[in-house]
Amino acid sequence: MARFEFFPRICIALGFADPEALLDHARREAEAGETFFEFRLDYLERPEQGIKVLKSFLERHPEGAVLAACRRRANHGSFTGTVEEQFRVLEAAVKAGAAAVDLEVESAEAAPPRAEALRERARLLLSHHNYENTPALEPVLRRLMRIPADGYKLVTTARKPSDNYRLLALAKAHPRVPLVLMAMGEIGFPSRVLSVAYGALHTYAAPAAAPGTAPGQVSARQLRHLYRLDRLAKTAKVYGVIAHPVEHSLSPAVHNRAFQSRRLSAVYLPFLVPPTQLGDFFRLAEQLPLAGFSVTIPHKQKVMRHLDVVDCLARRIGAVNTVWRKTGRWRGANTDTDGVRLPLERRLRLAGASILLAGNGGAARGAAFALTDAGAKLTIVGRNLERVRALARACGAEALSRDALGSRHFDGLIHATPLGMFPKTAECFFPDRIPADVVFDMVYNPQETTLLRRAREQGKTVIPGLEMFTEQAARQFEIWTGETAPRAAMERAAREALLRLAQPIMSS
């Protein structure tokens, strides 16, 4: 009988109220090449229905390994029966072919002989779940290890970024103990990827066409192809993006594709960092340690107080979007400026060019300094004239009210407001005539905004926002790795990620 360490690194978590749906999704995953499955029998109205499904599934897919679970409601499962009835369900699952069972420590403590009898017939994964927070973990592990098992599973809820490392540190402290470790919730997502690199037995994934059984689960395809979990080594360098929210960031798709293209042992993860937890994130960054990370809303300004060195341009802009560690010191820069300057330089000579900048927020501020430093004659327009004037004074530009645009015309236009961004895609800063020959929209979702469509219709040269996103990401990659960025691969990854965001999630 296979030991847990010989099972795959990814277990597909299947929890469905309908036995036919359970069988259908298990078969879909098996046909996609997956071989390790958790059957959550407690999700079914009658768990015994799952025994028939399990047997039918293994008859058709004998290469599959099933981990059976029937968690009681007292332990945040759905099974309403007694501990005795729970054991009977799990024993029936083993008889039907389950290679392993997941049993809560509370049930094992209530009936140690029954737990030992289960272990004689299948691998026993003893589990503890905390749906409130991440408590002191050593006492929990000691409690679990009082009962002999083939693996010990500790699942907590991440309330702050450093909770991820507390779980990973447990694996480092107990390298000979067979552990499954992860933190639930979006803040805890990094633990789902990194735990196996730190020696955990496996992690859990949601089925491709349905939700998972716990918050934070993603599909096996994402784990394998985006984060390359099967090949992730403990020595791999870890990068990421910090944001709030972070779920729809394109950066993981773009940077992981870049690492793959250059065959680098590295992974790039999304880190959800609430506004009040930036200091805690830096504790995590030191402990992992992180080699570098991208910074976006709402942390671009506040991150500067945590850095040892900030380059001159980023300090003038007052915002950092790129952080890395060198000689033990955290350093910051702003590559958004390259994202603005380089695409424009491919279409026109910036020195002496007349450029209109629409916007006065953070994105506009980076663009303003990049353009004036390149020698452009910059004019700034926006909805808030007072803020427009303040930005113009800071970078030596001309301030202009929207009413004063009139018959003015410019070599280039940069749009740096949220107008036209998904989901309000019909909005446009310029309702009719667009006063420039080259039109650059920093909005990249959708890929063709109303502004760009109108610009094409008026015969303008257009620059989509995705080009800026790719260029600033490419510069980040080069700062972090010292290698030339694979720009074409990164742009393809960004386009693919945007298409996925635009597609509705398949229903079960």
Side-chain angles (χ1 to χ4, degrees):
M1 186 178 296
R3 295 185 59 81
F4 268 110
E5 53 262 42
F6 296 123
F7 290 152
R9 285 178 134 186
I10 298 174
C11 181
I12 310 298
L14 300 166
F16 297 93
D18 176 43
E20 291 183 4
L22 173 61
L23 182 58
D24 178 54
H25 284 279
R27 285 177 172 170
R28 285 196 213 182
E29 295 295 325
E31 288 163 4
E34 299 300 330
T35 57
F36 189 23
F37 310 89
E38 180 190 43
F39 277 37
R40 285 291 302 273
L41 303 177
D42 54 302
Y43 273 53
L44 298 164
E45 185 177 346
R46 291 187 294 120
E48 58 269 22
Q49 293 175 310
I51 307 302
K52 295 179 181 178
V53 171
L54 195 159
K55 188 173 182 180
S56 174
F57 172 73
L58 290 175
E59 285 173 354
R60 184 166 173 175
H61 297 282
E63 75 286 356
V66 172
L67 169 64
C70 188
R71 194 173 306 152
R72 299 183 67 228
R73 182 164 292 176
N75 301 315
H76 293 272
S78 301
F79 185 60
T80 57
T82 64
V83 171
E84 168 66 26
E85 291 167 334
Q86 178 190 27
F87 272 105
R88 284 206 294 266
V89 170
L90 293 175
E91 288 161 357
V94 171
K95 188 175 181 181
V101 293
D102 180 330
L103 180 67
E104 311 96 277
V105 64
E106 294 86 355
S107 295
E109 289 171 338
R114 296 293 292 274
E116 180 57 33
L118 261 181
R119 190 183 179 212
E120 290 174 359
R121 300 170 56 198
R123 295 297 161 187
L124 176 63
L125 182 64
L126 203 64
S127 63
H128 178 275
H129 293 74
N130 186 313
Y131 285 80
E132 302 300 323
N133 53 35
T134 299
L137 296 172
E138 288 287 353
V140 178
L141 181 58
R142 286 197 295 271
R143 177 187 177 187
L144 286 167
M145 291 181 67
R146 291 190 188 106
I147 298 173
D150 300 291
Y152 299 97
K153 176 181 170 185
L154 284 80
V155 180
T156 68
T157 299
R159 296 300 180 192
K160 55 186 185 297
S162 62
D163 286 341
N164 287 280
Y165 187 75
R166 294 174 60 204
L167 282 158
L168 300 176
L170 196 68
K172 289 178 66 176
H174 300 277
R176 297 184 180 278
V177 178
L179 296 171
V180 175
L181 301 165
M182 68 198 72
M184 293 182 288
E186 195 177 354
I187 292 178
F189 175 76
S191 70
R192 293 182 175 274
V193 176
L194 296 176
S195 63
V196 292
Y198 275 70
L201 298 173
H202 59 262
T203 190
Y204 291 82
T213 58
Q217 281 180 3
V218 299
S219 71
R221 179 175 178 79
Q222 282 182 275
L223 291 176
R224 293 190 197 284
H225 298 285
L226 178 56
Y227 300 107
R228 296 186 291 167
L229 187 138
D230 284 327
R231 289 169 284 176
L232 189 61
K234 190 175 181 179
T235 55
K237 289 187 176 181
V238 180
Y239 299 88
V241 54
I242 65 170
H244 189 270
V246 75
E247 183 179 9
H248 296 302
S249 173
L250 303 185
S251 295
V254 170
H255 282 292
N256 282 312
R257 181 73 61 83
F259 293 146
Q260 187 174 9
S261 296
R262 291 290 182 258
R263 301 183 183 279
L264 298 176
S265 179
V267 65
Y268 185 103
L269 301 170
F271 291 90
L272 179 68
V273 181
T276 59
Q277 294 183 357
L278 190 55
D280 183 83
F281 168 78
F282 268 88
R283 284 190 282 277
L284 170 66
E286 291 282 352
Q287 291 165 329
L288 276 176
L290 276 183
F293 53 93
S294 311
V295 186
T296 187
I297 295 171
H299 302 299
K300 285 187 175 185
Q301 290 78 37
K302 290 184 178 179
V303 74
M304 295 173 68
R305 69 183 65 166
H306 296 275
L307 304 179
D308 302 301
V309 180
V310 177
D311 80 6
C312 294
L313 180 56
R315 196 169 292 282
R316 286 167 58 209
I317 295 169
V320 160
N321 80 324
T322 307
V323 175
W324 70 102
R325 190 202 305 263
K326 184 178 180 181
T327 61
R329 306 178 78 194
W330 289 112
R331 300 167 185 265
N334 193 312
T335 68
D336 288 337
T337 56
D338 291 299
V340 171
R341 180 178 55 82
L342 294 174
L344 276 171
E345 285 181 341
R346 296 185 188 115
R347 276 84 172 184
L348 53 83
R349 186 174 181 272
L350 283 179
S354 61
I355 305 292
L356 176 66
L357 173 63
N360 50 65
R365 189 173 177 87
F369 280 97
L371 293 166
T372 53
D373 281 5
K377 297 175 183 177
L378 183 65
T379 301
I380 305 175
V381 66
R383 289 175 291 182
N384 186 323
L385 187 56
E386 189 174 322
R387 292 183 63 184
V388 165
R389 287 172 175 159
L391 178 56
R393 284 194 300 270
C395 65
E398 176 192 7
L400 198 67
S401 69
R402 296 180 76 173
D403 295 337
L405 273 175
S407 60
R408 295 279 298 268
H409 192 81
F410 301 86
D411 297 319
L413 159 68
I414 297 181
H415 173 242
T417 85
L419 291 177
M421 185 182 295
F422 180 85
K424 298 180 180 180
T425 57
E427 295 179 343
C428 185
F429 191 92
F430 299 91
D432 39 54
R433 185 184 74 91
I434 300 171
D437 299 319
V438 177
V439 179
F440 188 172
D441 196 345
M442 293 173 71
V443 172
Y444 58 80
N445 187 12
Q447 293 186 49
E448 178 161 272
T449 60
T450 298
L451 173 63
L452 292 184
R453 178 175 52 78
R454 289 180 181 172
R456 288 185 199 277
E457 291 169 354
Q458 294 177 29
K460 315 293 186 182
T461 298
V462 302
I463 306 175
L466 206 59
E467 193 168 329
M468 178 202 169
F469 178 86
T470 303
E471 196 59 59
Q472 63 82 27
R475 182 64 189 125
Q476 290 180 327
F477 178 90
E478 291 169 351
I479 288 172
W480 292 332
T481 68
E483 297 198 17
T484 302
R487 283 170 169 77
M490 296 173 81
E491 185 171 346
R492 282 196 302 273
R495 292 186 186 281
E496 291 165 8
L498 274 177
L499 286 174
R500 285 193 295 271
L501 285 177
Q503 293 171 353
I505 298 173
M506 292 176 63
S507 67
S508 58

